[in-house]
């Protein structure tokens, strides 16, 4: 008679694969936590309940679905894409390879925007990706009026889906940088644009470079600040006097970006804020 698979035996079998894989491809080897979270997701439970219920038998369909997702983990695909969901600012967002996986560091950009933006502020969030920033802003502060855009039609479809399923009112439009907001004026520009240098792949984990969209990651070759420059140029006409600028930036771009703003004729009151790890992350300024 065929042995029944249980939570315990599936996890033990997966562990044997991980041990073998860890020896040959350690940088693409998923963690045990990734595996238990995947199994918990397939069985519609959480990790703790899963581990407490380790004699639970699996239906054939459950085992087949787990195997398919486990195979994806073994290729180095990030857990969030394998599960199709990730948490950002206390909410579950749908995610897939149309958009960057929202990062915990980006929550600081949201917190800082919420702290600085005046009541009823109008906000433009280009480069919205999954929509995580724009959606979190309006769900945290119903007084804010948020418009978001992306040059990627696919990312925008995901952002619209997230806004609908989380019940957030965000005005979405497709286009490059300020193009979708031409002729309008805002109280704030909040953005996490692409800022990784394409000539420095060593700055990225192998799985990020392989699975997340290049359009979401990379600045123009040889111009690490190209995204910020385009957004700041547009902000001269698109932000009212005294309007806020809040950017997330990379470890190697923050100081240069702050310097550009300090020397600018159009912006002042430049601040650089560090994340929990003490890494400079957020650059804030005001439109003069
Ligand atoms: C770093 S991701 C940020 C995604 C999301 N806001 C977040 O924080 O997780 C950058 C986004 O910028 C978009 N993008 C790239 N070039 C753009 C352009 N010229 N205009 C508007 N969006 C652009 C990409 O499609 C991607 O969704």
């Amino acid at each position: 008679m065929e042995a029944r698979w249980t939570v315990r035996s599936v996890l033990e079998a997966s562990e044997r694969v991980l041990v073998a894989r860890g020896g040959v491809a350690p940088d693409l080897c998923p963690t045990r936590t990734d595996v238990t979270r995947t199994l918990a997701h397939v069985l519609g439970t959480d990790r703790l309940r899963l581990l407490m219920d380790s004699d639970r038998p699996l239906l054939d369909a459950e085992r087949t679905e787990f195997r398919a997702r486990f195979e994806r983990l073994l290729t180095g695909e990030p857990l969030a894409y394998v599960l199709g969901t990730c948490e950002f600012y206390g909410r579950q967002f749908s995610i897939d390879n149309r958009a960057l996986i929202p990062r915990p560091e980006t929550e600081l950009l949201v917190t800082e925007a919420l702290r600085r933006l005046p009541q009823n502020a109008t906000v433009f969030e280009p480069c919205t990706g999954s929509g995580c920033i724009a959606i979190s802003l309006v769900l945290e502060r119903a007084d804010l009026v948020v418009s978001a855009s992306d040059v990627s039609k696919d990312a925008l479809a995901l952002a619209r889906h997230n806004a609908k399923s989380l019940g957030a009112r965000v005005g979405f439009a497709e286009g490059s940088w300020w193009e979708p907001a031409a002729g309008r004026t805002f109280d704030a520009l909040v953005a996490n644009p692409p800022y990784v240098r394409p000539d420095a792949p060593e700055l990225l984990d192998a799985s990020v470079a392989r699975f997340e969209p290049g359009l979401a990651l990379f600045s123009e070759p040889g111009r690490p600040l190209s995204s910020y420059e385009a957004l700041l140029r547009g902000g001269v006409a698109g932000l009212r006097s005294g309007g806020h600028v809040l950017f997330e930036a990379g470890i190697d771009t923050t100081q240069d970006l702050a310097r550009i703003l300090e020397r600018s004729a159009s912006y002042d009151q430049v601040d650089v804020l560090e994340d929990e790890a003490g890494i400079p992350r957020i650059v804030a300024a005001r439109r003069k």
Side-chain angles (χ1 to χ4, degrees), residues 88 98-103 106 109 125-133 149-152 155 175-178 191-195 213 215-218 227 248:
F88 183 82
R98 289 175 289 179
L100 189 90
I101 299 167
R103 304 294 204 269
T106 305
L109 183 66
E125 197 248 322
C127 307
T128 196
S130 63
C132 60
I133 297 172
S149 65
D150 204 290
V151 76
S152 157
S176 183
W177 309 133
W178 278 87
N192 176 22
Y195 58 70
L215 188 60
L217 295 170
F218 299 117
S227 308
E248 177 174 326

Side-chain angles (χ1 to χ4, degrees), residues 14 30 34-35 37-43 61-85 95:
S14 310
D34 290 347
V35 176
R37 283 188 60 187
T38 302
L39 185 56
H41 180 87
V42 168
L43 300 186
E62 290 169 337
R63 167 137 161 83
T64 304
E65 189 186 337
F66 170 75
R67 277 194 70 146
R69 292 184 196 244
F70 182 58
E71 293 295 331
R72 288 172 64 188
L73 283 179
L74 289 176
T75 68
E77 188 170 348
L79 179 69
Y81 285 163
V82 171
L83 300 187
T85 178
I95 192 74

